[in-house]
Amino acid sequence: REEDAPNYSDYVKKPMDFLTMREKLNRGRYPYLNLFQPDFELICNNAMTYNDPSTVYYKEAKRLLGKGVKMIRDARNKIAPEHWEGPPPPDDGTDEIIAREVAATVAAAHASSNGVSTRAVTAYDLINALYQTPTNIKCAAPASSRHQGLSL
């Protein structure tokens, strides 16, 4: 939402979030682990693009990126090679539909909760889901103009 992240779309051209990733996982849009990692990295890179390097949000995104990539690498070592790499699902617009559905659900939940945050899906939830169900796994603005804070 614009009020939560002023001018976000000026900095981030391809948004991604953990709820969308969870829904993509639930709908089989990550048939292989190599398809999961770019979306995870996109979340962290978007946060680092939008937020000034001096903010806790930038620093946490950078820390999360390092830990998450390590967790994904560890997950890769625990699953069969045929679940690691493969072609993406067809680009049939499903990912965009999922993103819109998640955004609408979040907006409705935010409105009904009077602004009280509900528990968000985290990177750790998603990566742990990979461990639990391995068979289901078949941009930079000038620092001076970056936003001073946006949570992941």
Side-chain angles (χ1 to χ4, degrees), residues 37 40 64-77 127 131:
Q37 187 167 350
F40 170 75
L64 181 62
L65 178 61
K67 286 189 172 221
V69 168
K70 182 186 180 315
M71 289 177 77
I72 292 168
R73 187 175 47 243
D74 291 346
R76 179 182 180 185
N77 293 331
I127 295 167
Y131 281 115

Side-chain angles (χ1 to χ4, degrees), residues 21 36-46 48 65 69:
M21 286 188 69
F36 175 91
Q37 187 167 350
D39 280 351
F40 170 75
E41 291 177 359
L42 182 62
I43 291 171
C44 297
N45 288 325
N46 285 348
M48 291 187 296
L65 178 61
V69 168

